[in-house]
Amino acid sequence: MLKYILKRIFLVFFVVIGVTIVTFSTMHLAPGDPAEVIAVARYGDDLTQEQIDWVRVTEGFDSPVYIQYLKWIKHVMHFDLGRSLVTSHDILEEITIRLPATFKLAVLSLVISLCIAVPVGIVSAVKKNTVIDHLCMSAALLGVSTPNFWLGLLLIWLFSLTLNLLPSYGYGNFEHLVLPAITLGTSMAAITTRLTRSSMLDVLNQEYILTAKAKGLDEKTILLRHVLKNAMLPVITFAGLQIGFLLGGTVIVETIFAWPGIGKLLVDSIYARDFAMVQGCVLFIGILFAFTNLLVDITYAFLDPRIRYENT
Amino acid sequence: MSLLKIQDLKVYFNARGKTVKANNSIDLEIRENEILGLIGETGCGKSILGRAIVGLLPDNVKIGGKIVYRSEDILNLSENGLRKIRGKNIGIILQNPSAALNPVLSIGNQISEIYRYHENMGKKEARIRTAKMLEMVGIDPKRMHEYPHQFSGGMKQRVMIAMGLALNPGLLIADEPTKGLDPTTKDKIIDLICELVINKNMSLLLITHDIGVAEKMCDRIAVMYAGEIIEIATIKNILSNPQHPYTQDLLNSLPKKGLNQTAGESPSLSSPPAGCRFHPRCRCIIGKCLKTHPQLMETEKGTSVRCFLYGNN
């Protein structure tokens, strides 16, 4: 078990290195001269070649790319992601200010989605091909095919404008969190419901379920002890991926509800051509993704003995 | 004398608009303390018969007839009643132990849940009983915390046996218990099952296509063909004087008799041949066989056969 976890952590280390290389490359592969972009941000549109060259030298863009990368990595390892080209704020600080908002939204959305998806998926599978199943699956299909922005607007119209129950945008107390979390949660639930159902059906057809029946166990025991643990494995993987996406910021929903999360920061920085900020955000999101996957892998090991006792 | 009596059992499936007659008019008796072998080709309906006895068939099945276990007709039982019989009165060892064990539960858990559920035992007591059971089938009780993937095929089969016998059922049904095992392991598993069944005064229904195994273990043998029983006889009679041409062919297919194959394919269960179901492959065909369906008749003491060549059929 410990060996497995260490192996995973070791792998995450390489993933993170990969992430830094890709992130760094985006800045250099992107069309345009980074020095020029920085100079524009610093001195405005009326530039002289001297100003650009000055930036190139002071920012170190004249040295070979790998030297630049190593320098950048050195800073990153000291938790220094540099400063925003536009606002000159510390990038890491800017991200960490946004983190609580993103985190709250991500966690609540995931909780909502799992609270809907897992029970509905289970009921749907157990009552396969009945009216209940068809209803659940139709609802899920509707959920999958409803775009986030439309559902968000619909919820704003209903709960904010018509019923005047909840604020339509902004960040502050729990009330602000409700609508964006429901928008994200329900749309994610739709996919997870279908996954839970198919995974349940898959397990229900396994021979060991027949063995459990042959022992004379009742349906509830079979479902809780024998089916659920096996059926949840793919659902957990999927939920892990989802939380990765959520923590990376959900651009559309954050924009609709003016939610000050990382997704919104990223989009704003792209519009402002704030390369340094984009680089910082992408790196941060990438690392977050790698670590949520690590967490999923570890959870997996707790649930599945075949992984726990793997001797590699 | 009789522990389980099956009368005129019919098991029909509906598959794509066709009726598959997996079991057709099965009459079979399993006596107390007897090992009855059920042999036949793959797809002849023998596993279906085994599962029908414990009510473990899929939902799209139609069942008719009677399966009487100690004066109780299993087919009339509710799902609740069936659950009380399963495991407790009739144990079943399913095919393919690798797939029949739950990969995420320890084998100790998978055995002890039987005690906890049927006998409302506490955790500790159930664990003690599980340890005893494991010891009985030759597994170190210390391994009870291990998971199925940590056991070899033969060991998994031992776990399955421990599960089947956990509550000392009156009848054990073993569906191909030696399938996929190497010869040495096979012999050990056979010896183990025989020893336990005899020691515990149980009856065993051994479902197999391995005639060698049946020969070694059984008191009587029932031969199935295309959903029907075509011959039932004591092991002595079957070996010395097999009557049905199909039984003769089966015995001639043994390696020591020269691996002679029966010509042709086994028939489809949705549209079986008219008359005797075996007639398209039979060496001894007479005119009657094409049109009339023979009945299972006793031809000598200890042998019944479904063939026009014998008795007054």
Side-chain angles (χ1 to χ4, degrees):
Chain A
M1 179 76 168
L2 190 68
K3 206 168 158 188
Y4 169 80
I5 294 174
L6 288 176
K7 191 180 148 203
R8 290 285 128 182
I9 291 175
F10 186 66
L11 284 176
V12 162
F13 177 72
F14 285 102
V15 172
V16 169
I17 289 182
V19 168
T20 60
I21 292 174
V22 172
T23 314
F24 185 77
S25 310
T26 49
M27 183 137 170
H28 286 261
L29 291 175
D33 180 359
E36 194 181 327
V37 173
I38 292 172
V40 169
R42 218 178 268 177
Y43 308 111
D45 282 331
D46 275 339
L47 282 179
T48 59
Q49 190 59 42
E50 283 73 34
Q51 282 172 321
I52 295 174
D53 290 340
W54 172 248
V55 170
R56 203 189 312 282
V57 174
T58 50
E59 296 293 322
F61 288 125
D62 55 340
S63 48
V65 175
Y66 70 93
I67 298 281
Q68 293 180 41
Y69 172 73
L70 289 177
K71 266 188 190 163
W72 180 64
I73 277 294
K74 197 180 144 200
H75 286 296
V76 169
M77 292 212 299
H78 290 91
F79 299 104
D80 174 16
L81 296 182
R83 291 183 169 277
S84 159
L85 303 182
V86 178
T87 59
S88 309
H89 288 158
D90 187 85
I91 290 174
L92 190 66
E93 212 177 284
E94 199 79 351
I95 291 173
T96 42
I97 288 171
R98 306 286 187 119
L99 195 58
T102 293
F103 189 73
K104 274 185 213 162
L105 182 58
V107 169
L108 190 64
S109 308
L110 191 76
V111 168
I112 290 175
S113 103
L114 290 180
C115 283
I116 298 171
V118 172
V120 174
I122 291 171
V123 169
S124 220
V126 173
K127 306 266 175 207
K128 188 185 138 198
N129 291 337
T130 61
V131 181
I132 301 174
D133 177 30
H134 293 316
L135 277 177
C136 294
M137 280 307 105
S138 310
L141 187 65
L142 192 71
V144 174
S145 25
T146 309
N148 261 341
F149 62 85
W150 188 72
L151 181 64
L153 293 177
L154 209 66
L155 289 173
I156 291 176
W157 171 77
L158 181 66
F159 289 100
S160 308
L161 301 179
T162 311
L163 299 174
N164 223 346
L165 281 175
L166 294 161
S168 59
Y169 70 91
Y171 176 68
N173 44 31
F174 184 73
E175 283 168 13
H176 290 99
L177 187 56
V178 177
L179 287 186
I182 289 177
T183 308
L184 275 175
T186 46
S187 63
M188 287 194 313
I191 309 170
T192 318
T193 306
R194 295 178 75 87
L195 182 73
T196 308
R197 178 178 182 269
S198 70
S199 170
M200 285 285 293
L201 287 179
D202 187 47
V203 174
L204 281 169
N205 282 326
Q206 296 289 322
E207 274 183 49
Y208 53 79
I209 301 304
L210 206 62
T211 309
K213 283 185 189 155
K215 289 180 199 168
L217 304 178
D218 66 335
E219 214 152 308
K220 196 181 117 208
T221 314
I222 292 174
L223 209 59
L224 293 179
R225 273 179 71 90
H226 288 267
V227 184
L228 216 51
K229 213 174 164 188
N230 284 292
M232 280 306 110
L233 291 174
V235 178
I236 285 169
T237 313
F238 189 62
L241 288 175
Q242 281 184 324
I243 192 104
F245 278 113
L246 288 170
L247 288 177
T250 46
V251 177
I252 294 170
V253 171
E254 285 184 4
T255 310
I256 295 174
F257 292 97
W259 189 260
I262 292 175
K264 194 154 184 306
L265 177 66
L266 183 58
V267 172
D268 291 345
S269 318
I270 292 170
Y271 281 131
R273 299 179 69 82
D274 190 344
F275 276 70
M277 187 62 98
V278 173
Q279 190 179 27
C281 284
V282 172
L283 177 68
F284 189 80
I285 292 167
I287 290 175
L288 222 54
F289 225 105
F291 277 94
T292 38
N293 272 308
L294 175 68
L295 215 64
V296 169
D297 283 344
I298 293 172
T299 320
Y300 234 83
F302 274 103
L303 288 175
D304 193 340
R306 283 164 296 186
I307 292 175
R308 204 181 315 154
Y309 292 96
E310 202 177 37
N311 287 321
T312 45
Chain B
M1 268 301 272
S2 149
L3 178 71
L4 185 93
K5 205 160 180 170
I6 300 173
Q7 285 172 343
D8 195 26
L9 178 74
K10 294 185 170 92
V11 179
Y12 294 172
F13 288 92
N14 252 327
R16 294 195 196 98
K18 279 186 180 173
T19 307
V20 178
K21 297 176 178 175
N23 282 178
N24 211 5
S25 295
I26 301 272
D27 287 299
L28 191 67
E29 181 198 31
I30 302 172
R31 299 171 188 156
E32 300 264 8
N33 307 327
E34 133 172 290
I35 298 182
L36 175 68
L38 186 61
I39 63 175
E41 289 167 309
T42 309
C44 71
K46 50 193 196 311
S47 291
I48 297 286
L49 178 59
R51 285 188 189 179
I53 295 173
V54 281
L56 277 182
L57 293 172
D59 295 332
N60 65 339
V61 78
K62 269 191 228 146
I63 307 182
K66 275 185 175 177
I67 302 177
V68 180
Y69 176 82
R70 285 194 177 135
S71 79
E72 201 167 13
D73 187 353
I74 291 174
L75 294 182
N76 285 337
L77 286 174
S78 65
E79 190 58 32
N80 234 333
L82 260 176
R83 274 202 285 274
K84 280 180 191 131
I85 292 233
R86 286 179 196 146
K88 194 153 190 150
N89 296 309
I90 306 176
I92 182 163
I93 300 172
L94 293 168
Q95 280 190 36
N96 189 1
S98 298
L101 289 168
N102 192 329
V104 303
L105 295 177
S106 71
I107 58 133
N109 262 328
Q110 292 189 57
I111 298 172
S112 67
E113 69 179 346
I114 303 173
Y115 296 115
R116 289 174 58 83
Y117 185 78
H118 280 283
E119 316 220 306
N120 282 322
M121 264 184 208
K123 253 189 186 163
K124 247 189 190 160
E125 210 187 339
R127 200 173 295 157
I128 294 168
R129 288 284 294 273
T130 304
K132 267 189 200 155
M133 212 57 227
L134 283 175
E135 213 163 358
M136 207 162 76
V137 296
I139 297 175
D140 185 352
K142 278 184 207 134
R143 297 190 68 184
M144 97 166 58
H145 303 293
E146 293 183 16
Y147 292 86
H149 71 277
Q150 291 165 292
F151 289 80
S152 67
M155 281 302 191
K156 279 183 207 162
Q157 193 55 273
R158 284 170 195 264
V159 174
M160 292 303 292
I161 294 168
M163 274 184 193
L165 297 180
L167 295 170
N168 289 323
L171 172 66
L172 180 70
I173 300 167
D175 193 353
E176 305 275 12
T178 55
K179 200 178 183 179
L181 299 177
D182 61 77
T184 0
T185 318
K186 204 177 192 170
D187 285 345
K188 280 186 195 153
I189 293 290
I190 292 171
D191 291 344
L192 177 70
I193 296 178
C194 282
E195 184 197 313
L196 293 173
V197 165
I198 292 166
N199 282 348
K200 294 185 168 227
N201 293 321
M202 299 178 183
S203 300
L204 172 68
L205 174 66
L206 175 74
I207 301 168
T208 182
H209 60 245
D210 188 332
I211 302 154
V213 169
E215 208 181 305
K216 226 180 251 174
M217 293 172 85
C218 301
D219 302 316
R220 286 195 305 147
I221 283 183
V223 183
M224 252 183 117
Y225 184 80
E228 293 180 331
I229 292 193
I230 51 138
E231 182 162 1
I232 307 180
T234 59
I235 186 77
K236 207 178 110 218
N237 284 3
I238 274 246
L239 292 178
S240 60
N241 182 22
Q243 298 196 336
H244 198 287
Y246 178 63
T247 315
Q248 292 167 2
D249 283 358
L250 271 184
L251 291 169
N252 283 332
S253 74
L254 286 176
K256 59 184 174 195
K257 296 256 178 82
L259 288 166
N260 302 302
Q261 280 187 339
T262 311
E265 298 281 328
S266 44
S268 132
L269 290 173
S270 54
S271 51
C276 173
R277 292 186 168 187
F278 187 58
H279 84 253
R281 299 169 77 185
C282 191
R283 300 168 275 111
C284 322
I285 187 165
I286 53 171
K288 240 174 165 184
C289 305
L290 299 175
K291 295 222 173 88
T292 327
H293 192 77
Q295 297 302 309
L296 197 62
M297 297 267 186
E298 187 164 29
T299 51
E300 63 175 277
K301 198 176 179 309
T303 299
S304 296
V305 75
R306 191 190 287 275
C307 184
F308 290 122
L309 297 176
Y310 302 93
N312 45 6
N313 207 325

